[in-house]
Amino acid sequence: MAMQIETENISSYERGLLEKIRALPPGKLADVETFIEFLHYMNEERRLRDAATKLSEAAFAKVWDNPEDSDYDRL
């Protein structure tokens, strides 16, 4: 059963994407869905990596912020 999408509250860009998707042969819709899932996965990976980096900054600050390494700060 095809999913109905309300098109009254979407941008013209989104409407154009929907038109392109609807014009694809049915066999290609699975490829589109797989690609969208891949994009979501990559976005989540980036978000988790950025969060881990942010959390580690405080721990590394003790190592990075010291007088012995101040010469490297000027590079």
Side-chain angles (χ1 to χ4, degrees):
M1 174 182 225
M3 182 173 72
Q4 293 296 319
I5 300 173
E6 292 185 33
T7 57
E8 61 195 36
N9 294 323
I10 64 172
S11 70
S12 60
Y13 179 75
E14 291 168 321
R15 191 171 289 114
L17 287 175
L18 286 172
E19 289 172 11
K20 289 176 183 179
I21 291 170
R22 287 179 179 141
L24 289 172
K28 291 294 181 181
L29 293 179
D31 294 338
V32 171
E33 183 177 17
T34 300
F35 182 66
I36 290 169
E37 289 172 355
F38 167 75
L39 293 175
H40 283 288
Y41 171 79
M42 293 303 292
N43 188 53
E44 181 66 11
E45 284 290 309
R46 182 175 299 113
R47 190 187 67 74
L48 291 173
R49 184 178 56 246
D50 291 348
T53 300
K54 189 73 171 166
L55 287 172
S56 66
E57 286 177 359
F60 283 114
K62 296 175 187 173
V63 176
W64 292 332
D65 297 334
N66 62 67
E68 294 83 25
D69 291 338
S70 62
D71 291 336
Y72 293 106
D73 294 338
R74 291 188 284 277
L75 294 178

